[in-house]
Amino acid sequence: MKLHTYYRSSASYRVRIALNLKGLEAEHLPVHLTRDGGEQFLAKFRATNPAALVPVLEDGSERIAQSLAIIEYLDERYPESPLLPASAADRAWVRQIALDVACDIHPLNNLRVLKYLTGPIGLSEEQKQTWIRHWIDLGLQALESRLATSPRRGAFCFGDRPTLADCCLVPQLFNAERFGMSLDAYPTLRRIEQACNILKAFQNAHPANQPDAE
């Protein structure tokens, strides 16, 4: 397998965690999102993903974009160490947590959105930071409330082994801290993050430990 990735991309980070949890290896093909205007916009990469976004997974003749689609593909193609629970209701609950991050928090603070805010829209750097923190805080508040009160939560988002939900949560918390946010208001999320980061699968997926890290 080959993974087109960028060390600081939280979507790529999710897939790296999933690969590690399942004990799968993939050749990492870095795509630098900020160098020379962004390598994702070069014709070579656009031929891989017309959306000019990472990650993209290549597995034989299959080429899959979108981090959650990739992770669910991996879970179905390589069912050992499953990332989704057995029952339909539990799977829906785990997907709910993952989508809270992947659909409601992350897209509003993605690189191309932030560049548009400070480019064509003309926001200042201070206004951009206010935007970032507002949307992350709103999303994390909801996640904190949902997870703090759920009987499904264990050491991890669901029970006592990592799932798709943890693959999404940990990169989002990394992003929050990268943008200078304190996580003190989210004690449940912090405990889950700490439980995850003890594991080699999460440590080895961390942006600082990638070959293209800067």
Side-chain angles (χ1 to χ4, degrees):
M1 286 190 288
K2 297 179 180 179
L3 180 66
H4 300 264
T5 179
Y6 177 59
Y7 78 103
R8 214 166 54 192
S9 156
S10 60
S12 298
Y13 191 176
R14 296 169 198 156
V15 175
R16 295 195 302 263
I17 293 169
L19 285 164
N20 292 346
L21 286 170
K22 299 185 81 65
L24 299 171
E25 293 187 3
E27 178 187 357
H28 286 200
L29 303 175
V31 180
H32 202 294
L33 302 187
T34 61
R35 181 183 297 149
D36 299 327
E39 293 177 355
Q40 71 273 30
F41 299 118
L42 297 177
K44 180 180 179 181
F45 184 72
R46 278 194 181 275
T48 301
N49 184 8
L53 295 170
V54 293
V56 178
L57 181 78
E58 296 186 48
D59 187 14
S61 62
E62 299 299 331
R63 182 178 289 168
I64 306 164
Q66 292 292 345
S67 61
L68 269 62
I70 293 170
I71 294 171
E72 293 225 21
Y73 166 80
L74 292 171
D75 214 35
E76 294 178 19
R77 178 74 175 80
Y78 305 97
E80 298 80 10
S81 302
L83 298 174
L84 286 166
S87 80
D90 288 343
R91 288 197 301 273
W93 192 85
V94 166
R95 288 186 177 111
Q96 172 184 245
I97 300 298
L99 292 168
D100 280 341
V101 173
C103 294
D104 292 343
I105 305 175
H106 174 246
L108 289 163
N109 295 299
N110 203 7
L111 177 63
R112 61 180 180 174
V113 172
L114 299 182
K115 291 183 76 172
Y116 194 80
L117 290 175
T118 55
I121 292 181
L123 265 61
S124 68
E125 184 64 26
E126 182 180 354
Q127 289 172 317
K128 183 187 82 171
Q129 292 299 323
T130 299
W131 167 281
I132 290 169
R133 290 168 183 165
H134 170 77
W135 293 113
I136 293 179
D137 182 55
L138 198 67
L140 293 187
Q141 283 181 31
L143 280 172
E144 174 68 24
S145 177
R146 195 187 306 282
L147 284 161
T149 58
S150 175
R152 286 183 164 97
R153 191 196 79 250
F156 301 95
C157 290
F158 177 85
D160 292 320
R161 60 182 297 170
T163 64
L164 171 66
D166 304 281
C167 293
C168 292
L169 177 63
V170 168
Q172 184 57 61
L173 297 180
F174 167 81
N175 265 358
E177 292 190 299
R178 184 167 70 86
F179 289 126
M181 294 183 63
S182 169
L183 300 181
D184 290 347
Y186 323 111
T188 307
L189 304 186
R190 288 186 67 191
R191 285 195 295 272
I192 293 170
E193 179 190 37
Q194 289 164 1
C196 289
N197 285 336
I198 291 172
L199 304 178
K200 284 289 186 183
F202 286 83
Q203 294 172 11
N204 292 341
H206 192 279
N209 296 324
Q210 303 316 299
D212 57 325
E214 296 177 342

